[in-house]
Amino acid sequence: MKGKILIIDDLHPEFKERAIQAGYEVDDLPQITRAETLAVIGEYTGIAVRTKFRIDREVMEAGTNLRFIARAGAGLDNIDEAYAAERNILLMNAPEGNRDAVGEHATGLLLSLLNHFRRADTEIRNGIWDREGNRGYELKGKTVGIIGYGFMGSSFARKLAGFEVNVIAYDKYKTGFSDEYVRECSMEEIVKHSDVLSLHIPLTAETAQLVNEEYLFHFKKKIFLINTARGEVVNTTALLAALESGKVIGAGLDVLEVEKFPKLGEQPWYEALKANKNVILTPHVGGWTFESYRKISSVLADKLEAASF
């Protein structure tokens, strides 16, 4: 036996099945609490998590035999990466598994904003037939600026390929990625040319609150904003001000600075965000489809099989 893996979240059964085939003993306990995890994690060589709780220093210190952490998703911001590196614990995530879901979701949010789908649907259900008030915008010919050109940003660019748009992208940590789907550019070009701004960056100390009042001020055109990355990248109060002034025409937000109720409802900006007819909100499901549920576990299983301990 290679060791024991503790699954503490809802993962597709493929990960467990393939881990067992690879020689691991697996305890699949999606209902386990943090306190219960701390009590038993010392027995395990690996832990698999989605979003249940943060795998921080306390968890890793209790996991005296931990050799790897498998994150069933794209980001690693719910894991203390620095301490994992210090402990030589391998981190595995699966952005390959939900990139198509995120790319399609971002495209859906954008088309919904351009065509006022949410507002028009609500009005008709309330007896209002307003064609002029729901006149939309065409995507063709517009410039879509992408911040972050990893798995998610590149997937979004591919989804846009049939819309006859100009796609430009900035990534601080990558160069030479221009291809048939995108042209690599500077942040200055993003700010100057974008009609649409779509965020596809991880949450780090550098990216937190990136989109604030000053940042939005520098855009030359009125823009549509799409965020399927992390909510903390956008300052919601600044975004609401930009929506009010018309600097941002509409915003599609799959992620928010604070998520889940009741805490979300307690935020000072929540009521204004909820009331804004030019905002579409979804509950952090951009990468969470029936297909990605399986693909994420498949990718993690691939990486587990390829790992050498």
Side-chain angles (χ1 to χ4, degrees), residues 266-296:
E266 297 166 357
Q267 302 309 304
W269 41 258
Y270 172 67
E271 290 299 325
L273 191 68
K274 183 176 72 170
N276 195 299
K277 294 181 180 180
N278 295 317
V279 174
I280 296 178
L281 304 169
T282 54
H284 203 149
V285 292
W288 191 235
T289 61
F290 291 102
E291 291 82 4
S292 71
Y293 177 51
R294 179 192 59 78
K295 288 192 284 186
I296 286 169

Side-chain angles (χ1 to χ4, degrees), residues 222 240 303:
K222 296 178 179 180
L240 283 167
K303 291 183 178 182

Side-chain angles (χ1 to χ4, degrees), residues 15-69:
F15 178 75
K16 177 182 178 179
E17 292 164 4
R18 289 180 56 187
I20 292 171
Q21 292 170 8
Y24 290 92
E25 180 182 337
V26 181
D27 289 332
D28 189 2
L29 303 173
Q31 304 304 319
I32 194 170
T33 65
R34 179 182 176 92
E36 291 168 337
T37 300
L38 288 169
V40 300
I41 191 63
E43 304 171 21
Y44 295 90
T45 53
I47 184 170
V49 61
R50 193 159 58 87
T51 58
K52 174 168 275 187
F53 54 74
R54 182 168 171 77
I55 307 300
D56 54 17
R57 186 185 188 104
E58 181 184 28
V59 175
M60 286 184 260
E61 284 181 343
T64 52
N65 293 306
L66 273 182
R67 290 185 292 177
F68 68 87
I69 299 168

